[in-house]
Structure formats: structure tokens, C-alpha cells
Amino acid sequence: MQIAALFAFEGEISSIAPLGEGFINDTYIVSVAGEAKYILQRKNHNIFPNVPAMMDNIAAVTEHIKRKVADPLRHALTIVPTVGGKLYAEAEGGFWAACLYITGSKSYDRADTAELAYQGGVGIGRFQSLLADFDTPLHQTIEGFHNIRYRFAQWDEAIAADAASRVAELEEEIGWIESRREQMLSFWSLVEDGTIPTRVTHNDTKISNILFDADSGDVLCAIDLDTVMSSTSLNDFGDAIRSYANTGAEDDKELERVGLSIEFFRAYAEGYLSERKQSLTPSEAEWLAFSALYITYEQVLRFLMDYINGDTYYKIAYPTHNLVRTHAQYRLLQSMESQYQTMQQIVAELLK
Ligand code: GN1
Ligand code: MG
């Protein structure tokens, strides 16, 4: 690939192979003499309209973290610049960026053990703690990313436009969204009026975005920093629960497999709070469990909205994929709603 030549990669490249299943970017692993050395990504310009600003955010945040950790090359993402020293390259009509592949690291698509969920919680809790004193303003790279008021504005437009003529057949699913609109907005108004503080957040905390040490199983660092911005740290917690504590897959067709594992919820919360207990404000503590419902709801809305729009945002593997994702995430939301009291009790216990 010509693109690789644009970056300051050392050694003779032996292969470039696709990696992972991101919904947004195209990711490749670059090997030198048969060994994985770099990650190369084509950043999705439709979704990230300002890639230079996004790369500035990532550089600022990773430099800050590197100054504080024991092993900066393993405990933080390392951007590999272009030969000309830039954070990204423009080529083939797109934006490209690269980082080091961390040798001896491992990632997971699902949490099979509570220990892994605990470690994931430590990972995001530590990420937020390391950035607690970061005071450079970050660019808002995707407008209104986890802002439900903004999402409703998009949603209302999508319903009105009905671009793929699907609205008529989605009465039930649309009802799931509408019946919770006020509840979700009242949570978000606490973020807007400052009751819940704004901090540096990762914004995409699913399990595959944390690297673990392949030998010890300990967490190394958070990756996929494309969506690093300022928001409520609660969203990072909620989004992680949506991923780590789901007994099924995000797009499971077998709905009886989907649900919230209270054991994994507890494990993740324990890991997270081991890093954040001291810095959480009373309002954050009060709304921590709710954030899982909020982000799962938001994800139901986003998948359904993309289906309504004719599948323009997320990559899909088959025509009804976004609808299947909608149903699976809704099942998860219902399971959280029915266990909400227990979730709150667990948080209260862990904060004692
Ligand atoms: C997208 O591409 P990926 O998997 O990192 C999305 C997240 C969603 C997630 C759903 C920029 O993340 O917000 O939660 O899919 N990222 C963006 O799995 O929209
Ligand atoms: Mg992402």
C-alpha cells in the first residue's frame, strides 16, 4: 500500500492486513519482518468532519498521559507521525493516521469473566483519573455526541424525512424511544446546568477499546481515542456497562441471550470505582447506575435512526442489521430497567 510509505515507519514492511470490525474506520495492521509493529487507519471523514482537530485531541491527551505513567510506550497510545512530522496524512481522498502496535497486548470482543470486566473498569477509571488535571480545551469533533437533546433533534428530522420509507413499519420501535424521551432529557438537563460536571472523556468505552497485557491480564491502556472530548464521565461508565455486562452480543438475533449480568455490572463498577471513588461528586455517584440505561437507550435510538435513514452511518453486514441491533439493545435496556434498583444498591455499597 502506497499510504504506508507516507508514515515514519521503521524497517521493511512485510505485510499490511485488515484488523478488527470497527463500524466506522478501516483499520490495518502493519508488520515489519513478520512482526506486528504499527496500526494504520483510514479515518472516516463523513463521521469525523475535522480529522486534524481529532488528531490534535489525541496527541494532547496521549502526551499528558505519557508524562504520568510508568511505561509510556505500553501504558498509552503512541502516535506515529508522517515522514514530514504531521499527525495525519491525506491520501486516496481520505485521512490516514498511525500508531504503534503494542507488542504483547491483547484485546477482547466480549468479557467472558468478571475479572476481565473488573480490569476494564480499572482501565477507564484510570484513563479518566490520569486526565483529571488536563486543562487544555478539547475540540468537539462530533457535535452532540452523547447529548440526547441533540440526538432528538436528529431523530425528529429523520422521522420527518423518512428517507428509506421505513417509518410506517416501525411504530412499535419508535414508541420505545418516545415513551422515554422526557426521562432521558431530564437526566441530560443535569449535565447542561452543571449539576453533573463535565470532564475529559473517552466516549467509546466498549471492551474492544481497552488493551490488556497478554501475560498478566492487567490493563495496559485505552485505545481508539477518536472520540476523546469533554462530556460527563458517567457516559464512559454507562457505555462500558452496555458492552461488558451484556450476556449476549450487541447485534444478537437470539434475544433470550441478551440481558444485563448483574455480576459483571458489579465487577466493572468495582474496578472503575477503585480508581474514581475519591473524585466522584455526589451527583455523579447518584446517577452512575442510570448512565448505563441512558447510553443503552441512546444506542437504541442511534441504531434505529440509522435504519430509518437507510443505513448511512454504521457499517452493516446485512440489510436489517441496524434493526437487529436496535432490538438487541432494546432488550438490554429492558433488562437494565428491571434490575435498576439492584444496580443502584451495588453502587451505593461500593461507595461506602
Ligand atoms: C461506533 O466504530 P466503533 O466500533 O469504534 C460508534 C460508537 C458506538 C459503536 C457501537 C464514532 O464505534 O459510538 O457506540 O460503534 N462510534 C462513533 O458499537 O459513532
Ligand atoms: Mg470508536
Side-chain angles (χ1 to χ4, degrees):
M1 211 203 279
Q2 303 296 321
I3 310 288
L6 301 174
F7 287 88
F9 293 153
E10 286 172 15
E12 189 121 346
I13 293 171
S14 50
S15 69
I16 299 179
L19 173 77
E21 298 173 349
F23 293 3
I24 309 287
N25 298 319
D26 300 318
T27 308
Y28 302 88
I29 189 152
V30 179
S31 298
V32 173
E35 253 188 74
K37 284 280 184 238
Y38 305 103
I39 300 289
L40 180 62
Q41 259 190 339
R42 184 192 177 102
K43 301 290 187 183
N44 189 322
H45 193 212
N46 290 333
I47 289 173
F48 299 104
N50 192 345
V51 176
M54 172 176 93
M55 293 308 297
D56 273 352
N57 281 356
I58 301 177
V61 160
T62 51
E63 278 161 26
H64 186 91
I65 293 178
K66 279 177 187 300
R67 285 198 286 274
K68 296 179 155 190
V69 290
D71 186 350
L73 288 178
R74 289 177 69 73
H75 296 154
L77 198 98
T78 306
I79 296 179
V80 180
T82 64
V83 207
K86 278 176 64 181
L87 296 174
Y88 60 89
E90 279 184 77
E92 293 184 1
F95 286 87
W96 298 77
C99 64
L100 286 186
Y101 173 85
I102 301 180
T103 310
S105 67
K106 204 170 166 356
S107 70
Y108 298 85
D109 284 325
R110 49 175 297 118
D112 287 325
T113 63
E115 172 58 22
L116 194 58
Y118 176 91
Q119 287 294 336
V122 170
I124 288 300
R126 189 171 296 159
F127 178 82
Q128 291 181 347
S129 289
L130 286 164
L131 291 163
D133 59 344
F134 180 90
D135 49 16
T136 323
L138 288 169
H139 306 283
Q140 196 187 8
T141 48
I142 300 185
E143 200 185 344
F145 193 52
H146 286 315
N147 170 342
I148 207 70
R149 196 180 301 284
Y150 185 83
R151 293 295 178 189
F152 280 131
Q154 293 181 320
W155 165 261
D156 291 339
E157 268 177 39
I159 302 273
D162 194 12
S165 303
R166 287 172 172 170
V167 165
E169 68 202 45
L170 297 169
E171 204 179 321
E172 187 188 346
E173 291 84 349
I174 290 171
W176 299 340
I177 299 300
E178 294 301 341
S179 61
R180 293 165 177 85
R181 188 192 277 249
E182 292 315 315
Q183 181 194 19
M184 298 300 159
L185 279 171
S186 65
F187 165 74
W188 190 253
S189 62
L190 298 175
V191 177
E192 290 169 326
D193 72 15
T195 307
I196 295 173
T198 293
R199 303 175 186 274
V200 179
T201 48
H202 181 285
N203 290 309
D204 189 7
T205 51
K206 58 182 164 191
I207 185 166
S208 53
N209 285 338
I210 290 280
L211 290 186
F212 298 87
D213 187 288
D215 292 331
S216 68
D218 290 347
V219 62
L220 289 174
C221 61
I223 54 168
D224 185 9
L225 304 182
D226 294 357
T227 48
V228 161
M229 278 179 266
S230 296
S231 187
T232 158
S233 68
L234 298 180
N235 287 342
D236 279 356
F237 178 83
D239 205 14
I241 295 302
R242 186 183 76 77
S243 156
Y244 286 82
N246 185 354
T247 53
E250 187 183 58
D251 60 352
D252 225 310
K253 287 182 177 156
E254 306 295 327
L255 290 180
E256 54 284 2
R257 280 203 292 242
V258 177
L260 177 87
S261 155
I262 206 74
E263 183 200 351
F264 281 41
F265 172 82
R266 180 192 290 276
Y268 187 92
E270 200 175 343
Y272 178 76
L273 290 172
S274 73
E275 296 281 333
R276 287 286 328 272
K277 199 173 170 171
Q278 313 304 331
S279 58
L280 229 51
T281 67
S283 62
E284 286 175 312
E286 186 183 340
W287 291 94
L288 192 65
F290 186 78
S291 69
L293 281 65
Y294 175 85
I295 286 287
T296 305
Y297 171 88
E298 182 201 288
Q299 201 63 65
V300 177
L301 183 154
R302 290 174 66 198
F303 284 144
L304 184 56
M305 183 164 71
D306 198 32
Y307 186 68
I308 290 170
N309 286 337
D311 311 303
T312 57
Y313 188 94
Y314 292 110
K315 291 182 192 168
I316 53 169
Y318 51 90
T320 56
H321 203 166
N322 273 319
L323 188 59
V324 168
R325 288 166 174 155
T326 302
H327 280 251
Q329 289 289 289
Y330 182 63
R331 176 55 73 98
L332 179 62
L333 175 61
Q334 287 180 302
S335 170
M336 288 174 175
E337 286 172 341
S338 69
Q339 298 182 84
Y340 182 47
Q341 268 198 328
T342 316
M343 292 162 74
Q344 280 183 301
Q345 276 161 13
I346 290 172
V347 170
E349 260 172 53
L350 294 172
L351 282 171
K352 261 189 208 144

